[in-house]
C-alpha cells in the first residue's frame, strides 16, 4: 500500500480551487510543497463551503447573545435554554446543488446531515422542517424536482421516525437552474448533557463510528485525482446515497453512549468528512490529532489517503473517548451493528498527522490551517431602492372575489397538503399543531406540558427589491409566526442562499440581508444561534432571488394554551391588530393578479412589530383569543380565507374603512399585523387601546361561506377545492393555469 | 416486442439495500455471502417490431426516465 | 397485564405504543430487543410500527424472518394475544401469522394523515370496547399499506368474520373514495383464525391524547387491558 | 460465484409502480407502450464454488427472504 505520487503542478492547484495567493500561503505554512493529500485538505478547508471566506466578516455582525443562549454559532448546532434543565438544539442547512442533480438523494442526505448536526450535540431530534424553492411550474424540470425532493425529505425523516412538521415552498423562474433545499432539525437535550466538538486529553483515542467510507462526493478535485486511476469517473459519484436506516442506528447508538460519560468530544462528518471533523476538533482544543488512515473502515478497495480524507460518505461520526473506554463504547456500536474503529489519538504536536500503514501521508499544523483560512471583504453595491407603489395606481379587471380565488390557487399560496401528507408529521404523538393548523408547528416535549413552536420563513421577492427590509422581514415573520400561536420566540437559525458573491450586486444583497436580519434580531430579542451559507446559486449569470431563510424556535409553557388559525365556531368577532396602509408594492396581488413584480416592499418597523406581537401573545395567554393568524402574503383576504378553510366555519368581512380602496384593504401586505378571532370584543379592544395598539373589528365568523366587502361570496366547498386542487393536479401532470 | 431493462447502481455508489440484504442473509445462517447489490428490473412491452428502433427507443427511455445516470447504469435486453 | 413490545433495528413507533398501552392499562410495557429468543411470560406481544431494517428489500421481510419472530409465533400458537401495527402488520404477514401482503400504496406515495376506520366486529381481546360499525378517527403513516390477498383468501376472511377494520369516511361509509391506499375491500385490519393475532395499518397509538390526535384510538388499548386483565 | 436473482410480481398481482412507469413513458411521448412491470434484481456474490450447491442455497434464500412467494416469482441465474 504505497502512497500514490502526484506532482503538484499549477494546474492541479487550480483544479483544487486555490488562488495563487492562497497557494503561497500554503507553502508558507508548510515550509514546503504540499503532497496531494495535503493539497486536498487545504482545498476543502479553504473552500467557500467550509471557510465562509466571503461571508465571515458579515456573519460576525449578527447578534448571537441573550440570556437564553447556551451555545451560539460555531458548534454543530445552536443551543437554547428552555427551562427545567431542558435545552432546544437546532440548525438549518442547505443541500441545494445535490438536490438539483439528484432530487431524491440530494434532499434525503440533506435531511440526514442536519439531523446528525443536532444529535452530535447530545440532542434527540423531535422535529424537522424544510424550506424549498423551485423554478416556475411550467419549467420542464420543476415537477420532477418537486416530486423527488419531497419524496427524499419524507423518505429520510419518516424512516428515522422524526416528525416533519413544517416548511415553506415558493416557485419562481429565478430558481429554474438552482433550486433551494434547506432542511432544519430541532432536538432536545439536557443542559448538563450537551456534547461539544473540542478535542482534549493528550493520548486519548480518536474513534470512528457509523458507515464505512466510500468514494462518495469527492468533489472539486475530480480532474486532479483522475491521476489516481483510469476509471475515476465511474469511481467518484458526486452524489451521495442516503441510508436513513443506518442513521437511525447511529442516532440510537450515539445517544446510548452519551448516556455514559465515556465521550470527551464528538463531531459528525459532514461536508469535507474526515478532514473538517478532525481539523475542527483539534483546532477547538488547541491540540494535534494523529490519524491512522489505514484503520478507517472502507467500503471499497484501493482507497487512497486523499480519498479517505475528502470523502463525504454519510452517516459517520468522529469522537474522542476517555482513555480505557473503548471496549464499552464498542459494545454499544456492536449491538447496533455499526462500524467502530479506533483510528487515531490526540497529540500535543498541534498538527494533523496522517499515517498510512506506518508511513506519514501528511502533516499540517492545525492552527495556521484554520487561522490563515482566507477571509474576503468582497466589494459590494447596495441594491438601488424601488419607488413606493401607490395603491390608487394598482388596477385589475378581476373582482375582489375572483382575485382571491386566483391567489388561493396560485403556486405560492395554494395548499401544501400534497407535500406534508408525504411527511410523517404525527409520529411521536406530540404534534399539537399540525401543518396547516397554526402559524408555527407546535411540538410538545415528551412527558411535559411545555412545547416548542417552530417555523421557517423568507419572502424572497421583498429581499430582491430591498435586501435590508427583506432580511428584517424574514426575521419578523418568523417571530410573528411563533407569537401568533402564543409562544415566546427564543432564537433563530438562518440559511443564507445567494448567487455569486464575487459580483458586487450579489454581495450587496448578502450584506443588506445581514444588516436587516441583525436589526430585527436585536430589536426582537431573537438572537442567531446557528446557520449556514450557500453561495454561487446561479446559472449562466442568472442568480436566484436573495433568499435568507430564517428558522425560528419559540417556547410555550403549556401546549394546551397554544392557538391555531382555524375558525371553529360561529359568532367570533374578527379583529385586525396593527395598522393598515394598504401597501401593495411587491405584494402577491400585484405580482400574480396584476402581473407586475415591482415597487418597494412593505416597510418593517421593528418597534411596532415588537409592540403588536407582545400584545397579541399577552392576549393569548389571557385566553382571550380563539384563533390567530398573522398577515403576510396576500394580506387580509388570504388570511381570512385560510382561517375559514382551517376551521370549517365561514366568515363575513365588513366594509373597508372609509378612504381605503378595497384592493389595498384586502390585499395590502403591511407588516406587524395579526387577525384574531375573539369572543369578547370589548375586552380585546379596550386592552388594545390601553396598550396603544391599533385594533379594529373587521368581520365575524359565520355560515358556510366567505363574504368579502363588496358582496363577493365564495362557498367553503368552492374555496376548499380552489385551494386544494392545484398542487395535486399539477403533480399529476396538468399544467398550472 | 418485449424488453427487459435492468437498472443497477454504479460501482462505488452506496447500496444500503444490498448491504442490508447481505446482512440479513448472514443472519439467516447462510455462509460465504460476499457483496450483495440490489437493482431494478423493468419489463416493457413495445408495439415496435423493428429491433434496432426498439433498442433506440429503450435507450432513450432509460436516459429520460428509467435510470438516473448520475448514479445508475442500465442494460437493455430484447427478449423476442 | 404484562406486555412486551418487540424492537428491531429501525423500529420507531415503540415509544408511542408504550405510551398508549400505559395510558390504558397503567403499566409500562417491556421493550424487548430483537435478539431475544424467549417471549414466554407475556400476556400481550406488540410488534410496533417503524422501518425495521430500513424496510429495505420488502417491508417487514427481514424482521419477519428473524429469530424473535419464531418466538412470537410460538406464543401466538399458545394463544397469547399479538398485535401488529403498521410495520408490525407487515411483519406478521411476512411471517405467515396473518394471510396476504401489504403492497405499495396505490398512489405510490407515503401517506400521513388522520383517517377514519370502521369496526367490523366487536370482540375481545382487541375490539371489545368498540361496537360493531363504530367509526374511529386515527392516524395512518405508511408507504406500503395496500392490503392484498387473492379472492379466495378475501372471501374466507369475510366469511369467517376476520376483517376487523375498514377505511371509511367520518360517517362510516366504505367506498373507493375512502380507500386511501388501494387496499382490497378497504381492509385496514384483520385477525387470524383463532382471533388472538390482529394486524392493522392505522396507528391507534397516535390517537390517545385530546391535544394531539384525539382519543379515538384509546378503546382498542382499553379493550386489550380489559380482556387481558380480566 | 456470482448469481443474479430476479424477483417479479406474479401475474395477476396489480403492479401500480409498473403502471405508473408506463404512464410516464407515454407522457414523455413514447408510443406503443404495452404493459410495463417492475421487479427486483438482486446480485449475490457467493464463496460456494459448486454450482448445484450454490443453486440450492440460492433457492432457499429466495424462499426464506428474497421473495414473498404469496405475490412474487423468482428466477436464479448463476453468472459464472
Ligand atoms: N448564516 C449563518 N449565521 C450564523 N451562523 C452560521 C451561519 N452560517 C454558518 N454558521 C455557523 O458556522 C458553523 C459552521 O457551519 P457549517 O459548516 O454549516 O457546519 P457543519 O459542518 O456542522 O454543517 C456552524 O456553527 C454554523 O452554525
Ligand atoms: Mg456538523
Amino acid at each position: 500500500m504505497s502512497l500514490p505520487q502526484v506532482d503538484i503542478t499549477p494546474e492541479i492547484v487550480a483544479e483544487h480551487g486555490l488562488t495563487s495567493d492562497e497557494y503561497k500561503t500554503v507553502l508558507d505554512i508548510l515550509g514546503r510543497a504540499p503532497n496531494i493529500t495535503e493539497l486536498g485538505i487545504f482545498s476543502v478547508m479553504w473552500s467557500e463551503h467550509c471557510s465562509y471566506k466571503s461571508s465571515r466578516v458579515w456573519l460576525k455582525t449578527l447578534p448571537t447573545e441573550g440570556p437564553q443562549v447556551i451555545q451560539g454559532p460555531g458548534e454543530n448546532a445552536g443551543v437554547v435554554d428552555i427551562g427545567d434543565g431542558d435545552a432546544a438544539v437546532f440548525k438549518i442547512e442547505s443541500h441545494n446543488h445535490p438536490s438539483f442533480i439528484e432530487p431524491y438523494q440530494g434532499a434525503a442526505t440533506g435531511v440526514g446531515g442536519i439531523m446528525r448536526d443536532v444529535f452530535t450535540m447530545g440532542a434527540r431530534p423531535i422535529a424537522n422542517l424544510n424550506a424549498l424553492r423551485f423554478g416556475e411550474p411550467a419549467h420542464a424540470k420543476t415537477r420532477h424536482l418537486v416530486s423527488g425532493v419531497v419524496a427524499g425529505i419524507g423518505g429520510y425523516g419518516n424512516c428515522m421516525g422524526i416528525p416533519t412538521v413544517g416548511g415553506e415552498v415558493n416557485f419562481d423562474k429565478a430558481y429554474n437552474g438552482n433550486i433551494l433545499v434547506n432542511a432544519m432539525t430541532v432536538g432536545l437535550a439536557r443542559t448538563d448533557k450537551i456534547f461539544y466538538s473540542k478535542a482534549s486529553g493528550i493520548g486519548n483515542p480518536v474513534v470512528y463510528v457509523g458507515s464505512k467510507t466510500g468514494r462518495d462526493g469527492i468533489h472539486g478535485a475530480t480532474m486532479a485525482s483522475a491521476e489516481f486511476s483510469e476509471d475515476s469517473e465511474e469511481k467518484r459519484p458526486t452524489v451521495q446515497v442516503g441510508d436513513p436506516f443506518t442513521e437511525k442506528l447511529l442516532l440510537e447508538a450515539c445517544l446510548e453512549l452519551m448516556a455514559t460519560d465515556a465521550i470527551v468530544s464528538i463531531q459528525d462528518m459532514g461536508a469535507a468528512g474526515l478532514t473538517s471533523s478532525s481539523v475542527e476538533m483539534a483546532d477547538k482544543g488547541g491540540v494535534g490529532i494523529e490519524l491512522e488512515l489505514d484503520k478507517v473502515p472502507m467500503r471499497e478497495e484501493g482507497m487512497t489517503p486523499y480519498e479517505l480524507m475528502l470523502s463525504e460518505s454519510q452517516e459517520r461520526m468522529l469522537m474522542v473517548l476517555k482513555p480505557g473506554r473503548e471496549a464499552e463504547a464498542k459494545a454499544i456500536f456492536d449491538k447496533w451493528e455499526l462500524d467502530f474503529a479506533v483510528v487515531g489519538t490526540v497529540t500535543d504536536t498541534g498538527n494533523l498527522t496522517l499515517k498510512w500503514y506506518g508511513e506519514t501521508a501528511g502533516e499540517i499544523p492545525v492552527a495556521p490551517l484554520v487561522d490563515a483560512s482566507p477571509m474576503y471583504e468582497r466589494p459590494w453595491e447596495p441594491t438601488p431602492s424601488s419607488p413606493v407603489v401607490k395603491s390608487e395606481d394598482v388596477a385589475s379587471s378581476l373582482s375582489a372575489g375572483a382575485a382571491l380565488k386566483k391567489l388561493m390557487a396560485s403556486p405560492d399560496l395554494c395548499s401544501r397538503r400534497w407535500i406534508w401528507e408525504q411527511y410523517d408529521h404525527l409520529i411521536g404523538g406530540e404534534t399539537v399543531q399540525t401543518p396547516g393548523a397554526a402559524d408555527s408547528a407546535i411540538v410538545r416535549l415528551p412527558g411535559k406540558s411545555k412545547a416548542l413552536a417552530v417555523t421557517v420563513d423568507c419572502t424572497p421577492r421583498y429581499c430582491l427589491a430591498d435586501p435590508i427590509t427583506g432580511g428584517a422581514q424574514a426575521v419578523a415573520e418568523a417571530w410573528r409566526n411563533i407569537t401568533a400561536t402564543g409562544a415566546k420566540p427564543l432564537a433563530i437559525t438562518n440559511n443564507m442562499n445567494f448567487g455569486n458573491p464575487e459580483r458586487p450586486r450579489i454581495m450587496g444583497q448578502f450584506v443588506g440581508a445581514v444588516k436587516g436580519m441583525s436589526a430585527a434580531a436585536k430589536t426582537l430579542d431573537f438572537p442567531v444561534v446557528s446557520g449556514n451559507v450557500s453561495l454561487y446559486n446561479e446559472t449562466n449569470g442568472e442568480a436566484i432571488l436573495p433568499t435568507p431563510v430564517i428558522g425560528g424556535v419559540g417556547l410555550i409553557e403549556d401546549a394546551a394554551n397554544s392557538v391555531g388559525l382555524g375558525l371553529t365556531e360561529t359568532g367570533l368577532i374578527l379583529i385586525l391588530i396593527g395598522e393598515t396602509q394598504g401597501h401593495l408594492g411587491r405584494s402577491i396581488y400585484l405580482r400574480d393578479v396584476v402581473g407586475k413584480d415591482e415597487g418597494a416592499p412593505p416597510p418593517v418597523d421593528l418597534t411596532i412589530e415588537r409592540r403588536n406581537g407582545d400584545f397579541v401573545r399577552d392576549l393569548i395567554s389571557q385566553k382571550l383569543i380563539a384563533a390567530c393568524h398573522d398577515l403576510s402574503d396576500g394580506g387580509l383576504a388570504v388570511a381570512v380565507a385560510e382561517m375559514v378553510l382551517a376551521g370549517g366555519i365561514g366568515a363575513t368581512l365588513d366594509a373597508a374603512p372609509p378612504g381605503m380602496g378595497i384592493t389595498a384593504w384586502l390585499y395590502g401586505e403591511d407588516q406587524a399585523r395579526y387577525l384574531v378571532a375573539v369572543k369578547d370584543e370589548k375586552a380585546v379592544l379596550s386592552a388594545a387601546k390601553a396598550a396603544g395598539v391599533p385594533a379594529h373589528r373587521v368581520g365575524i365568523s359565520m355560515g358556510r361561506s366567505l363574504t368579502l366587502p363588496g358582496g363577493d361570496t365564495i362557498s367553503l366547498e368552492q374555496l376548499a377545492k380552489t385551494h386544494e386542487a392545484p398542487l395535486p393536479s399539477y403533480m399529476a401532470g396538468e399544467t398550472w393555469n | 416486442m418485449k424488453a427487459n431493462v435492468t437498472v443497477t447502481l454504479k460501482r462505488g455508489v452506496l447500496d444500503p439495500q444490498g448491504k442490508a440484504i447481505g446482512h440479513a442473509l448472514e443472519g439467516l445462517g447462510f455462509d460465504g455471502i460476499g457483496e450483495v447489490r440490489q437493482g431494478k428490473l423493468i419489463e416493457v412491452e413495445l408495439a415496435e417490431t423493428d429491433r434496432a428502433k426498439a433498442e433506440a427507443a429503450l435507450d432513450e427511455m432509460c436516459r429520460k426516465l428509467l435510470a438516473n445516470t448520475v448514479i445508475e447504469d442500465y442494460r437493455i435486453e430484447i427478449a423476442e | 397485564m404484562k406486555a412486551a413490545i418487540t424492537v428491531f433495528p429501525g423500529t420507531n413507533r415503540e415509544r408511542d405504543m408504550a405510551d398508549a398501552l400505559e395510558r390504558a392499562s397503567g403499566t409500562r410495557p417491556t421493550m424487548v430487543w430483537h435478539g431475544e429468543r424467549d417471549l414466554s411470560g407475556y400476556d400481550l406481544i406488540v410488534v410496533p410500527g417503524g422501518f425495521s431494517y430500513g424496510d429495505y428489500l420488502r417491508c417487514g421481510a427481514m424482521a419477519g424472518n428473524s429469530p424473535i419472530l419464531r418466538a412470537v409465533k410460538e406464543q401466538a400458537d399458545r394463544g397469547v394475544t399479538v398485535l401488529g401495527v403498521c410495520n408490525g402488520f407487515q411483519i406478521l404477514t411476512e411471517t405467515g401469522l396473518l394471510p396476504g401482503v401489504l403492497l405499495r400504496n396505490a398512489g405510490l406515495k407515503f401517506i400521513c394523515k388522520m383517517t377514519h376506520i370502521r369496526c367490523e366486529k366487536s370482540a375481545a381481546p382487541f375490539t371489545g370496547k368498540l361496537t360493531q360499525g363504530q367509526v374511529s378517527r386515527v392516524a395512518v403513516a405508511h408507504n406500503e399499506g395496500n392490503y392484498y390477498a387473492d379472492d379466495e383468501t378475501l372471501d374466507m376472511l369475510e366469511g369467517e368474520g376476520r376483517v376487523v377494520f375498514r377505511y371509511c369516511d367520518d360517517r362510516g361509509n366504505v367506498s373507493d373514495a375512502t380507500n386511501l391506499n388501494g387496499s382490497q375491500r378497504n381492509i385496514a385490519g384483520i385477525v387470524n383464525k383463532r382471533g388472538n393475532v390482529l394486524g392493522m395499518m392505522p396507528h391507534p397509538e397516535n390517537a390517545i391524547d385530546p391535544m394531539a390526535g384525539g382519543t379515538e384510538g384509546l378503546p382498542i388499548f382499553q379493550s386489550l387491558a380489559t380482556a387481558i386483565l380480566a
Side-chain angles (χ1 to χ4, degrees), chain A, chain B, chain C:
Chain A
M1 283 294 153
S2 63
L3 288 163
Q5 294 302 318
V6 180
D7 285 339
I8 307 302
T9 61
E11 290 73 44
I12 288 201
V13 172
E15 280 154 8
H16 278 77
L18 292 173
T19 65
S20 56
D21 278 351
E22 288 169 1
Y23 186 63
K24 248 188 89 234
T25 315
V26 172
L27 296 178
D28 287 347
I29 289 173
L30 293 177
R32 59 177 165 83
N35 65 30
I36 187 74
T37 305
E38 291 165 336
L39 181 68
I41 291 171
F42 277 101
S43 154
V44 295
M45 286 306 296
W46 291 1
S47 68
E48 186 68 57
H49 190 96
C50 289
S51 72
Y52 292 89
K53 56 188 165 194
S54 303
S55 57
R56 224 153 74 226
V57 257
W58 291 103
L59 294 180
K60 282 197 283 192
T61 64
L62 291 167
T64 59
E65 281 169 14
Q68 71 276 41
V69 177
I70 294 177
Q71 175 66 53
E75 277 288 339
N76 285 304
V79 184
V80 170
D81 194 335
I82 53 171
D84 315 313
D86 296 314
V89 179
F90 59 96
K91 184 169 184 276
I92 192 166
E93 192 152 87
S94 64
H95 230 207
N96 302 337
H97 189 61
S99 302
F100 186 75
I101 306 287
E102 211 309 285
Y104 185 97
Q105 297 297 345
T109 49
V111 172
I114 190 60
M115 282 198 274
R116 272 196 306 287
D117 270 334
V118 167
F119 71 77
T120 305
M121 301 208 60
R124 179 178 284 280
I126 61 162
N128 284 332
L129 298 94
N130 54 90
L132 310 178
R133 306 265 157 6
F134 297 104
E136 58 197 330
H139 188 267
K141 280 200 155 157
T142 300
R143 189 177 286 114
H144 162 72
L145 291 168
V146 172
S147 130
V149 163
V150 170
I153 291 172
Y156 209 104
N158 298 348
C159 183
M160 285 289 289
I162 311 304
T164 301
V165 297
E168 60 166 357
V169 192
N170 287 163
F171 296 86
D172 192 292
K173 66 176 183 312
Y175 303 104
N176 280 353
N178 295 84
I179 63 169
L180 302 183
V181 175
N182 296 172
M184 172 173 169
T185 295
V186 186
L188 276 186
R190 298 291 296 167
T191 50
D192 58 355
K193 284 292 261 181
I194 311 264
F195 289 80
Y196 297 97
S197 55
K198 176 181 164 188
S200 68
I202 308 306
N204 279 350
V206 176
V207 167
Y208 169 115
V209 297
S211 280
K212 292 184 171 36
T213 299
R215 293 187 171 94
D216 313 79
I218 301 174
H219 55 64
T222 1
M223 294 299 289
S225 37
E227 312 271 335
F228 294 155
S229 67
E230 299 293 13
D231 56 348
S232 57
E233 262 312 299
E234 193 194 320
K235 276 191 181 165
R236 289 195 177 74
T238 49
V239 175
Q240 304 125 24
V241 170
D243 183 355
F245 170 58
T246 296
E247 178 137 315
K248 165 74 173 161
L249 304 185
L250 189 59
L251 163 70
E252 299 300 339
C254 286
L255 292 181
E256 194 171 324
L257 182 58
M258 284 164 167
T260 72
D261 64 347
I263 299 178
V264 174
S265 66
I266 177 165
Q267 165 76 29
D268 70 300
M269 292 188 230
L274 205 44
T275 292
S276 67
S277 53
S278 55
V279 169
E280 268 172 48
M281 290 177 91
D283 181 55
K284 291 215 174 97
V287 294
I289 282 185
E290 178 173 307
L291 294 176
E292 295 175 76
L293 291 175
D294 46 286
K295 301 254 168 75
V296 170
M298 291 172 231
R299 200 171 79 220
E300 295 174 67
E301 311 236 308
M303 292 192 68
T304 63
Y306 177 93
E307 292 171 321
L308 288 165
M309 288 308 288
L310 267 58
S311 163
E312 297 196 343
S313 287
Q314 303 287 298
E315 293 95 20
R316 304 179 297 161
M317 296 268 188
L318 200 63
M319 322 186 278
V320 174
L321 293 182
K322 290 186 183 159
R325 306 298 288 271
E326 296 93 323
E328 179 188 344
K330 182 169 187 308
I332 291 175
F333 285 84
D334 283 351
K335 171 186 159 191
W336 292 98
E337 301 178 2
L338 293 164
D339 272 293
F340 176 100
V342 177
V343 296
T345 42
V346 177
T347 68
D348 60 4
T349 61
N351 291 346
L352 175 68
T353 309
L354 306 176
K355 294 286 189 181
W356 184 241
Y357 295 98
E359 248 186 280
T360 299
E363 178 119 38
I364 304 176
V366 170
L369 169 63
V370 174
D371 298 341
S373 86
M375 177 156 93
Y376 298 131
E377 293 196 33
R378 301 222 186 257
W380 59 278
E381 274 166 21
T383 301
S385 63
S386 307
V388 172
V389 171
K390 289 208 202 94
S391 58
E392 310 84 87
D393 298 344
V394 174
S396 153
S397 58
L398 291 189
S399 70
L404 180 60
K405 279 194 264 178
K406 176 157 188 163
L407 290 179
M408 293 299 284
S410 68
D412 278 354
L413 288 180
C414 73
S415 168
R416 269 67 177 123
R417 183 183 305 276
W418 184 90
I419 295 172
W420 48 258
E421 281 189 351
Q422 292 185 58
Y423 301 152
D424 190 340
H425 52 273
L426 300 172
I427 187 164
E430 306 288 0
T431 315
V432 172
Q433 299 287 359
T434 54
D439 279 327
S440 298
I442 302 275
V443 182
R444 198 175 43 193
L445 274 64
K448 305 201 171 167
S449 55
K450 66 183 169 188
L452 296 180
V454 292
T455 178
V456 285
D457 296 284
C458 180
T459 313
R461 61 181 194 279
Y462 294 172
C463 298
L464 180 70
D466 180 345
I468 301 180
T469 302
Q473 194 275 342
V475 175
E477 186 169 343
W479 189 86
R480 213 184 296 146
N481 280 335
I482 291 170
T483 294
T485 62
K488 184 173 165 21
L490 287 176
I492 58 179
T493 182
N494 69 94
N495 208 140
M496 308 293 281
N497 306 276
F498 290 80
N500 181 353
E502 293 161 41
R503 295 205 287 143
R505 193 178 59 79
I506 300 289
M507 195 60 211
Q509 294 175 341
F510 184 90
V511 171
V514 169
K515 288 183 174 173
M517 285 160 54
S518 288
K522 264 184 213 128
T523 308
L524 300 174
D525 276 332
F526 208 23
V528 176
V529 296
S530 59
N532 181 255
V533 177
S534 169
L535 300 174
Y536 298 96
N537 291 290
E538 55 180 76
T539 303
N540 303 329
E542 283 291 312
I544 58 162
L545 302 183
T547 313
V549 172
I550 302 298
V553 173
L555 175 71
I556 183 158
E557 286 301 337
D558 188 349
N561 293 338
S562 70
V563 299
L565 55 83
L567 298 177
T568 50
E569 275 178 77
T570 46
L572 296 173
I573 305 304
L574 302 177
I575 291 177
L576 181 60
I577 310 282
E579 194 184 350
T580 303
Q581 302 273 353
H583 188 102
L584 286 166
R586 295 290 163 173
S587 66
I588 279 251
Y589 182 92
L590 188 61
R591 191 190 69 183
D592 289 356
V593 176
V594 181
K596 292 185 186 161
D597 192 10
E598 61 184 27
V604 174
D605 184 323
L606 295 161
T607 315
I608 290 178
E609 191 73 57
R610 169 135 201 179
R611 182 197 67 192
N612 294 0
D614 288 346
F615 172 69
V616 168
R617 196 178 319 105
D618 201 42
L619 290 184
I620 296 173
S621 73
Q622 292 176 53
K623 299 196 166 52
L624 284 168
I625 289 187
C628 178
H629 193 8
D630 84 307
L631 266 56
S632 54
D633 287 340
L636 174 63
V638 167
V640 74
E642 288 171 347
M643 293 175 83
V644 160
L645 286 174
I649 300 289
T652 296
L653 288 185
D654 306 335
M660 169 113 26
I662 186 168
T663 300
W665 173 241
L666 287 178
Y667 296 105
E669 295 183 3
D670 311 81
Q671 298 293 298
R673 296 187 301 160
Y674 301 79
L675 187 58
V676 299
V678 309
K679 280 202 170 123
D680 190 343
E681 178 185 357
K682 272 210 193 93
V684 170
L685 291 180
S686 65
K689 196 162 185 198
V693 172
H696 305 280
R697 178 196 150 120
V698 297
I700 185 168
S701 72
M702 56 186 272
R704 299 275 311 159
S705 54
L706 173 60
T707 303
L708 300 177
D712 280 0
T713 295
I714 311 169
S715 76
L716 226 82
E717 287 66 32
Q718 197 182 10
L719 191 58
K721 203 163 149 254
T722 303
H723 189 54
E724 293 293 344
L727 194 50
S729 65
Y730 169 70
M731 292 311 297
E734 307 288 316
T735 48
W736 211 308
N737 40 33
Chain B
M1 193 165 283
K2 254 185 137 173
N4 284 344
V5 175
T6 50
V7 179
T8 48
L9 281 172
K10 285 200 162 124
R11 256 211 300 145
V13 175
L14 175 70
D15 177 10
Q17 312 246 357
K19 203 172 85 182
I21 295 170
H23 208 78
L25 288 173
E26 281 164 6
L28 286 173
F30 291 100
D31 292 328
I33 304 284
E35 201 183 15
V36 179
R37 311 265 301 164
Q38 179 172 322
K40 270 179 268 186
L41 168 73
I42 301 154
E43 304 170 337
V44 187
E45 258 176 34
L46 291 172
E48 184 59 65
T49 50
D50 180 305
R51 208 186 164 87
K53 280 193 193 151
E55 246 170 80
L58 285 161
D59 194 72
E60 202 186 333
M61 291 178 203
C62 285
R63 277 179 294 110
K64 280 203 177 153
L65 182 76
L66 304 180
N68 176 349
T69 51
V70 180
I71 48 172
E72 293 171 328
D73 291 327
Y74 59 89
R75 209 173 55 236
I76 297 163
E77 260 172 82
I78 302 222
E80 341 134 18
Chain C
M1 173 162 85
K2 222 173 145 216
I5 298 179
T6 61
V7 182
F8 295 92
T11 296
N12 63 25
R13 263 189 167 85
E14 72 275 23
R15 286 184 204 88
D16 306 32
M17 183 57 74
D19 288 349
L21 286 166
E22 186 175 1
R23 189 168 290 217
S25 71
T27 21
R28 190 84 185 161
T30 310
M31 299 285 181
V32 184
W33 186 236
H34 71 112
E36 201 64 58
R37 296 288 175 274
D38 182 8
L39 287 172
S40 53
Y42 294 106
D43 313 309
L44 169 67
I45 299 168
V46 182
V47 189
F51 288 66
S52 60
Y53 299 96
D55 274 356
Y56 297 155
L57 187 64
R58 284 187 316 281
C59 299
M62 297 189 203
N65 288 293
S66 67
I68 195 180
L69 253 292
R70 251 173 267 150
V72 174
K73 227 168 165 173
E74 261 167 45
Q75 297 306 315
D77 289 345
R78 291 187 42 230
V80 170
T81 306
V82 176
L83 169 66
V85 169
C86 196
N87 196 226
F89 186 13
Q90 295 162 342
I91 292 170
L92 294 181
T93 60
E94 278 283 344
T95 320
L97 273 169
L98 292 171
V101 296
L102 293 137
L103 300 176
R104 184 102 190 259
N105 294 343
L108 301 179
K109 290 195 299 288
F110 189 95
I111 306 173
C112 174
K113 62 194 280 193
M114 297 305 291
T115 190
H116 293 92
I117 52 174
R118 187 174 78 191
C119 173
E120 304 292 85
K121 194 176 176 185
S122 167
F126 300 104
T127 51
K129 295 268 178 195
L130 290 163
T131 54
Q132 189 172 334
Q134 186 171 335
V135 176
S136 312
R137 184 170 176 271
V138 292
V140 286
H142 58 246
N143 203 25
E144 281 92 358
N146 180 350
Y147 184 75
Y148 173 86
D150 57 30
D151 283 331
E152 206 180 315
T153 308
L154 291 169
D155 289 342
M156 171 195 73
L157 288 173
E158 306 261 19
E160 294 176 359
R162 289 166 54 189
V163 175
V164 179
F165 295 111
R166 281 186 227 269
Y167 300 107
C168 64
D169 68 12
D170 56 352
R171 271 175 261 149
N173 301 311
V174 172
S175 70
D176 284 349
T178 66
N179 190 355
L180 49 80
N181 55 23
S183 290
Q184 303 275 325
R185 307 188 192 184
N186 282 48
I187 289 175
I190 56 171
V191 283
N192 66 345
K193 201 168 186 108
R194 188 167 171 177
N196 65 321
V197 178
L198 170 77
M200 65 188 294
M201 282 316 293
H203 291 285
E205 75 275 24
N206 286 140
I208 56 157
D209 181 332
M211 250 200 284
T215 55
E216 295 181 25
L218 210 44
I220 293 177
F221 301 102
Q222 289 162 338
S223 303
L224 285 167
T226 310
I228 292 170
L229 289 178

